[in-house]
Amino acid sequence: MADDVGLLVDPQDVDGLREQMRRLIEDGDEATRHGALGIERARQFTWEACAEKALVVCRKATGSRE
C-alpha cells in the first residue's frame, strides 16, 4: 500500500511513468515532500512490528489465543 507516499503508475504505461518521473525532476518541492513521506513510512517497518504480525498469523494458523 502506497498511501499518500508513493506515486502509483501502471507498469505497462510508459507515458505515465515518464510523466511521474518528469514531475518529480521538475518539481523539487514535490520530490522533497515524497522523500520525507517515504522516510517516515519506512520508519513504520520495524522488526518488532514484523514479529507481532507474524505472531498473529501463527496464532490464527494454530487456533491459539495466546
Side-chain angles (χ1 to χ4, degrees):
M1 175 177 297
D3 296 330
D4 187 33
V5 176
L7 300 173
L8 301 179
V9 179
D10 179 341
Q12 301 300 317
D13 183 1
V14 175
D15 292 331
L17 179 57
R18 180 176 32 245
E19 175 59 27
Q20 291 295 359
M21 291 173 70
R22 183 198 60 73
R23 180 174 148 211
L24 291 176
I25 290 168
E26 292 179 359
D27 188 343
D29 291 340
E30 185 73 1
T32 299
R33 184 178 82 81
H34 278 282
L37 289 171
I39 290 169
E40 186 59 36
R41 179 74 169 122
R43 286 189 179 119
Q44 297 172 10
F45 296 100
T46 65
W47 283 113
E48 183 178 348
C50 179
E52 288 174 4
K53 289 178 182 180
L55 186 58
V56 168
V57 169
C58 290
R59 286 180 175 156
K60 285 183 181 179
T62 62
S64 175
R65 293 179 184 236
E66 290 187 30

